[in-house]
Amino acid sequence: MKVADVFHFRNAEIKALHLTWIAFFITFYVWFNMAPLASSMLKSVDWLTTDDIRLFAICNVALTIPARIIVGMALDRFGPRRVFSVLMVLMAIPALVFAFGNTMTQLLVSRLVLSSIGASFVVGIHMTAMWFKPKDIGFAEGFYAGWGNFGSAAAAISLPTIALHMYGGEDGWRWAIAQSAIVMAAYGVYYWFAITDGPVGTVHRKPRKAVALEVSTWGDMVKLILWTIPLVGVLSILVWRIQNMGYLSTTGAAVCYAVIFAIVCYQIVQILRVNVPILKKGVPEDDKYPFNSVAALNSTYFANFGAELAVVSMLPMFFEETWSLSATAAGLIAASFAFVNLVARPMGGLVSDRMGNRRFVMLSYMFGISIGFALMGLMNSNWPLIIAVAITVFTSFFVQGAEGATFGIIPSIKRRLTGQISGMAGAYGNVGAVVYLTIFTFVTPTQFFYIIAAGAFISWVLCVMWLKEPESGFAEEYQVSSVDLQIEEEERRRQAAATAG
Amino acid sequence: MKIMIAYDGSRNARLALAQTITMFRELKPQIVLVAVAENPRDITSGNEDLFQQEVSELKGYLNEAMDVCQNEDVGAETLLLEGDPRKMLLYAAEKKIHPDMLVIARHSHEPDGGFIARSLTYFVDELDYMTFGSVSSFLARRIQCPLLILPSR
């Protein structure tokens, strides 16, 4: 498949790709419909404070991880078409509640529920995987991810204009958010009828039920447990923050902590149940894979996608306040960060495939992210705006390229377990977003950029230590032996005789 | 004379096999057909089926090629590897087969479509050449035996 093939709309699989990335695009648009309108909200709702807005930003990425787990189960049962449609229609409800919410509780809870929409990535990836041939899948998934993530840029570009100029007035932002929700629900209905799960005639095979990732050594199992704890455990940070700000009683917080603790324990028990029997039997040498590589990729996704979600949530306001721009202009300029997605993310995957050395590509990208954010940390109102935009674009080029490169390596770690490994890494993107946005409630934007740069640098160090260049195929060779050929030859003769007779 | 052919069952590969037999028949060549099953770069769990499908397809192609060689009275054997085609072909040549010559068919990238499609394709191809992306340029720089690249028509 050539890049130019994406214009052949008449091909069924290309049509499916376009329908699916647009669905993902819309979900991303709704997911990040608050950031560009934050200043309008502050102006029109008199009891809202900047701290509240920052809290909403954390809530906005909080429940994505549990939602991914639930969506993963639903996918196995119902297939991506139904799940995607239902997700879009259902998630329009909290979006509308948020749009017309008048109390802190309404806004907080609806934003928290709405964060489940981030699980749409998983659904679309499965849909894309059903439509494309092995040779094209890498490109198709990169294209889907990049163009879908662009939705957050589209939201930053268009929403302030819609809110201030189309609707205008006090409640302009409410109507703008409501409009995005209604469009999403409508597209969800359309998607149900417009697409099928894979080409007509595909048998939807149920994957093997996997409750936890398999590992190769006892040491790796300990590492896996340690890396699993933050997946849900990170939500305790959010609970602590909400309680800290006085929106949750001590009893309520205790209940939340107990639930989180129970889920984490359950996950650990599952890991033990899956792995202890395997490890007792002993894993054959050629079936082993290094868990360290998985850990390194978790950290890269934490530091690149986590950073992207966090930065997209705060950048419009940062530009607005630092250079005292209008909401519309700030939205446009902040969108330059996510705008690069159109090219950078698919290109990250492409570069990773094309260079002889994936590890080197990953390391270069992570290093670029640290430099980019360090430069963003230097920015202040004395800088010409155009330079600031250039640095923003430079940084995001590395951030999104690194996302592509991360998902470029994942399939070559252990083919059998790719789905689970990518699920874990993907979830770490959200862990990163929750951690970064929580930190953001305590620091200034400048300090925040430095912290993200440090995060990317730590991830770079982890990659240097842990990430191994995947060596595919050296251990497993398919020898087509002469015996095989003989058997097939006899089979052919027998068939020929049968047709002749 | 041992000749290794990188064979993926495509039209170009079939042409390359035919051409090789035509050119070197007099030297009584021993042909080794090497196919590489590439990992689908899919990040869902649905890729195992696809991969097995690809492996069985390649096996089928190799068997067809064996039949061709048998009909032409040329000695042949096959080898199926898994992984990155560029690296695996290099590995097979250097570590396992030690051929006297390696034959590969260059893939044709004839851009079609409008101006945007063409420029996109050119850009990606250029990236391929810059980064040793294509199999032929990767091997041309690294392989330690005579290499014959057959252009496609």
Side-chain angles (χ1 to χ4, degrees):
Chain A
M1 172 171 171
K2 292 195 281 289
V3 177
D5 285 346
V6 298
F7 298 113
H8 297 170
F9 303 109
R10 276 188 300 275
N11 293 1
E13 75 259 22
I14 300 291
K15 193 180 152 203
L17 177 63
H18 285 296
L19 283 171
T20 306
W21 81 252
I22 290 170
F24 181 41
F25 171 93
I26 293 175
T27 55
F28 240 69
Y29 187 100
V30 173
W31 195 13
F32 288 100
N33 60 10
M34 189 188 71
L37 298 174
S39 56
S40 323
M41 287 172 65
L42 284 174
K43 279 194 200 92
S44 89
V45 184
D46 46 13
W47 45 262
L48 267 183
T49 64
T50 317
D51 277 348
D52 292 340
I53 293 282
R54 288 181 174 191
L55 184 62
F56 291 156
I58 309 175
C59 291
N60 200 28
V61 290
L63 290 189
T64 311
I65 304 161
R68 283 175 85 108
I69 299 170
I70 295 164
V71 158
M73 292 175 194
L75 272 176
D76 294 344
R77 290 221 22 203
F78 304 111
R81 174 183 66 114
R82 294 190 186 120
V83 175
F84 219 151
S85 289
V86 169
L87 186 75
M88 281 194 272
V89 174
L90 268 187
M91 282 300 136
I93 299 165
L96 286 168
V97 172
F98 184 86
F100 300 110
N102 276 322
T103 66
M104 187 68 198
T105 319
Q106 280 174 351
L107 292 180
L108 197 68
V109 172
S110 60
R111 208 69 224 181
L112 205 52
V113 175
L114 185 58
S115 66
S116 319
I117 206 172
S120 59
F121 175 75
V122 187
V123 192
I125 279 284
H126 274 84
M127 182 59 106
T128 313
M130 290 181 138
W131 277 93
F132 282 86
K133 291 196 280 297
K135 276 194 169 54
D136 308 332
I137 262 181
F139 173 74
E141 286 179 0
F143 180 86
Y144 157 85
W147 284 57
N149 284 354
F150 172 69
S152 61
I157 292 169
S158 59
L159 278 170
T161 315
I162 294 171
L164 300 171
H165 304 295
M166 260 180 61
Y167 294 108
E170 276 285 276
D171 287 344
W173 67 269
R174 292 184 188 277
W175 288 105
I177 289 179
Q179 181 190 316
S180 70
I182 290 162
V183 168
M184 179 169 71
Y187 192 83
V189 174
Y190 168 70
Y191 193 79
W192 180 283
F193 297 105
I195 202 169
T196 52
D197 284 337
V200 178
T202 323
V203 186
H204 183 49
R205 281 215 204 95
K206 291 225 186 328
R208 270 192 317 139
K209 262 276 145 277
V211 284
L213 187 62
E214 294 170 24
V215 290
S216 314
T217 62
W218 293 103
D220 280 358
M221 190 174 74
V222 175
K223 284 177 205 156
L224 173 63
I225 289 172
L226 288 177
W227 280 91
T228 305
I229 291 168
L231 285 181
V232 178
V234 75
L235 293 179
S236 53
I237 299 180
L238 174 72
V239 176
W240 168 78
R241 192 70 189 126
I242 295 182
Q243 188 197 1
N244 198 325
M245 287 173 73
Y247 298 119
L248 190 65
S249 64
T250 321
T251 335
V255 171
C256 293
Y257 286 132
V259 170
I260 291 167
F261 183 74
I263 295 174
V264 172
C265 285
Y266 174 73
Q267 283 180 313
I268 292 173
V269 168
Q270 292 288 48
I271 291 174
L272 293 172
R273 271 176 50 191
V274 168
N275 282 303
V276 170
I278 297 177
L279 291 171
K280 274 197 175 141
K281 250 193 306 192
V283 182
E285 204 53 45
D286 59 355
D287 200 44
K288 284 187 175 172
Y289 75 98
F291 183 79
N292 275 353
S293 288
V294 180
L297 292 176
N298 287 343
S299 82
T300 61
Y301 215 59
F302 180 106
N304 56 47
F305 193 62
E308 182 183 345
L309 293 183
V311 168
V312 163
S313 311
M314 51 72 73
L315 210 57
M317 229 168 152
F318 166 73
F319 272 106
E320 202 170 337
E321 287 167 358
T322 312
W323 279 275
S324 37
L325 304 163
S326 70
T328 319
L332 272 175
I333 286 169
S336 61
F337 186 88
F339 195 84
V340 187
N341 254 318
L342 293 176
V343 183
R345 185 160 180 158
M347 198 173 143
L350 205 71
V351 171
S352 179
D353 292 338
R354 289 298 158 216
M355 295 290 251
N357 190 333
R358 292 183 190 275
R359 180 172 182 268
F360 172 77
V361 172
M362 191 77 245
L363 286 171
S364 317
Y365 268 125
M366 291 319 289
F367 203 76
I369 296 178
S370 345
I371 291 175
F373 276 115
L375 286 173
M376 280 178 85
L378 293 173
M379 294 192 309
N380 59 40
S381 54
N382 303 330
W383 287 44
L385 195 54
I386 187 84
I387 303 282
V389 172
I391 288 176
T392 308
V393 168
F394 167 87
T395 308
S396 69
F397 199 84
F398 278 95
V399 170
Q400 284 135 20
E403 290 160 17
T406 300
F407 277 123
I409 300 183
I410 284 173
S412 45
I413 292 181
K414 186 82 196 134
R415 206 187 55 242
R416 194 162 43 86
L417 305 170
T418 296
Q420 286 165 282
I421 294 173
S422 71
M424 187 170 188
Y428 256 91
N430 282 86
V431 174
V434 173
V435 171
Y436 282 141
L437 284 169
T438 309
I439 292 173
F440 184 56
T441 56
F442 297 106
V443 296
T444 63
T446 303
Q447 291 167 323
F448 183 59
F449 290 139
Y450 283 132
I451 287 164
I452 295 182
F457 185 73
I458 291 167
S459 168
W460 179 82
V461 172
L462 291 183
C463 284
V464 169
M465 290 192 307
W466 289 345
L467 189 62
K468 291 196 177 60
E469 178 69 15
E471 286 187 20
S472 50
F474 288 104
E476 303 171 67
E477 291 177 15
Y478 291 88
Q479 286 275 8
V480 183
S481 65
S482 52
V483 181
D484 277 345
L485 290 171
Q486 263 176 349
I487 292 169
E488 280 171 34
E489 182 60 32
E490 279 168 19
E491 188 64 32
R492 226 176 304 156
R493 282 208 193 113
R494 212 175 305 135
Q495 277 179 345
T499 48
Chain B
M1 165 135 184
K2 205 174 196 185
I3 301 177
M4 170 175 157
I5 303 183
Y7 194 84
D8 62 356
S10 64
R11 176 176 165 273
N12 293 343
R14 288 201 300 271
L15 284 171
L17 175 63
Q19 260 183 305
T20 310
I21 293 175
T22 315
M23 280 196 268
F24 299 100
R25 187 195 298 278
E26 301 308 315
L27 300 173
K28 296 276 175 282
Q30 172 67 19
I31 292 182
V32 187
L33 295 152
V34 180
V36 182
E38 198 175 352
N39 248 341
R41 290 190 299 276
D42 178 10
I43 56 167
T44 68
S45 45
N47 52 26
E48 188 58 23
D49 293 345
L50 292 171
F51 183 76
Q52 294 307 340
Q53 208 179 319
E54 193 188 4
V55 167
S56 55
E57 252 173 41
L58 280 172
K59 274 185 183 159
Y61 291 141
L62 286 174
N63 292 343
E64 280 169 26
M66 282 292 278
D67 290 348
V68 170
C69 292
Q70 273 164 1
N71 294 342
E72 299 282 342
D73 259 345
V74 176
E77 49 186 295
T78 58
L79 179 67
L80 180 56
L81 296 159
E82 173 200 343
D84 184 330
R86 296 164 295 169
K87 291 179 191 169
M88 293 318 290
L89 286 171
L90 186 67
Y91 162 81
E94 310 270 275
K95 297 270 180 344
K96 292 188 73 73
I97 299 172
H98 307 294
D100 300 308
M101 185 174 70
L102 169 60
V103 178
I104 49 181
R106 190 192 299 141
H107 277 275
S108 57
H109 284 297
E110 278 300 307
D112 50 354
F115 171 73
I116 295 177
R118 273 212 304 274
S119 7
L120 260 176
T121 311
Y122 276 131
F123 171 74
V124 175
D125 276 3
E126 207 48 50
L127 194 78
D128 267 4
Y129 293 130
M130 271 163 33
T131 56
F132 329 123
S134 64
V135 177
S136 47
S137 52
F138 183 91
L139 288 172
R141 282 163 191 266
R142 287 172 178 74
I143 199 96
Q144 293 299 327
C145 67
L147 171 69
L148 179 62
I149 302 181
L150 296 169
S152 55
R153 280 143 308 162

